[in-house]
Amino acid sequence: MATASTLEMEPATLEDVETITEVWFSAFTDPSMRRLFPDTPGFRQWLTDANRSDMINKPFQKYLKVVDTASTDEKGRPRIVSYAKWDTATLEERGRRYPPWHADSPADECEAFFIEMEKVRRQIMGDTRHYYLDMLGTHPDYRKRGAGSMLVKWGCDLADREGVAAYVDASSNGAPLYERFGFVGNSASNPMLDGIVTPMVRK
């Protein structure tokens, strides 16, 4: 069993993108998300390629990982147990969040869902400068052991140093973690998002 002393946070690298995909699919098993992000070989490759492209082309997106130094993967490296993607750009600077959808996904449904998420974010935040926790996933074996907290704290500390707010579209399971760091659920909502994500803001 991992302890706090065996978990370390590091910048994620291009060598990590395939493992990041594995962590994502182990972390997000809710039927509503699995419908948008189907667990097929083609879609897994699409997600891997999307993260690789972002790492290369979008330096304002900060990828972080937590590794367990007491456990190794098949290549003998410390096992990646959690990862996060903090976006420090504005919506205009970031551009499109995902590339064109893979054929295995319901493209029209995916497009509508993420458009609504960004619409709600604009409604809530307006012109307020903020950093966006785009993604945080933790392998089920490592939940409630501090990995997620390390990744959330990194972004909150950065936001505090630079005097900006923070925003996350939280799952029901993730909301308690964000609340501990000062995120507050917002009443602004949309029927398409209800029960899937909750907008949360840290002033």
Side-chain angles (χ1 to χ4, degrees):
M1 177 180 292
T3 64
S5 61
T6 69
L7 297 181
E8 295 183 0
M9 183 177 63
E10 305 170 356
T13 69
L14 290 172
E15 293 182 348
D16 301 323
V17 291
E18 291 184 1
T19 305
I20 282 173
T21 296
E22 294 173 6
V23 172
W24 193 97
F25 277 98
S26 71
F28 298 100
T29 58
D30 180 86
S32 58
M33 287 304 296
R34 191 52 55 86
R35 171 173 169 73
L36 298 178
F37 284 35
D39 191 0
T40 66
F43 195 88
R44 280 183 175 242
Q45 187 62 52
W46 175 91
L47 185 58
T48 297
D49 291 343
N51 281 320
R52 181 181 291 111
S53 177
D54 283 353
M55 282 189 185
I56 294 171
N57 299 308
K58 298 180 179 180
F60 49 80
Q61 292 184 339
K62 311 300 182 182
Y63 281 82
L64 305 161
K65 64 183 178 182
V66 173
V67 300
D68 180 5
T69 59
S71 180
T72 55
D73 62 17
E74 67 279 1
K75 296 182 179 179
R77 303 174 303 182
R79 180 185 180 187
I80 298 174
V81 302
S82 187
Y83 85 98
K85 177 184 178 182
W86 277 95
D87 194 324
T88 63
T90 66
L91 284 168
E92 289 72 21
E93 291 168 336
R94 184 189 70 184
R96 185 180 172 87
R97 182 172 177 182
Y98 290 109
W101 297 97
H102 189 271
D104 291 345
S105 64
D108 290 345
E109 188 175 342
C110 289
E111 196 71 9
F113 179 79
F114 286 99
I115 286 175
E116 290 304 315
M117 283 181 63
E118 294 197 354
K119 183 186 297 182
V120 170
R121 182 177 162 197
R122 289 179 186 275
Q123 291 172 348
I124 293 172
M125 300 306 295
D127 295 329
T128 302
R129 179 69 173 162
H130 62 282
Y131 293 158
Y132 178 51
L133 180 51
D134 184 301
M135 185 58 60
L136 190 154
T138 299
H139 191 283
D141 292 347
Y142 285 81
R143 285 176 182 158
K144 298 184 179 180
R145 298 188 188 179
S149 293
M150 296 167 72
L151 296 165
V152 176
K153 184 177 185 298
W154 183 93
C156 290
D157 287 348
L158 178 65
D160 287 346
R161 288 196 301 272
E162 301 190 5
V164 302
Y167 184 97
V168 62
D169 291 301
S171 66
S172 58
N173 290 333
L177 167 63
Y178 304 126
E179 288 173 350
R180 292 201 296 273
F181 284 89
F183 285 87
V184 177
N186 194 285
S187 58
S189 186
N190 184 294
M192 186 178 291
L193 309 182
D194 285 348
I196 303 176
V197 296
T198 299
M200 301 186 75
V201 180
R202 182 179 185 269
K203 298 293 186 180

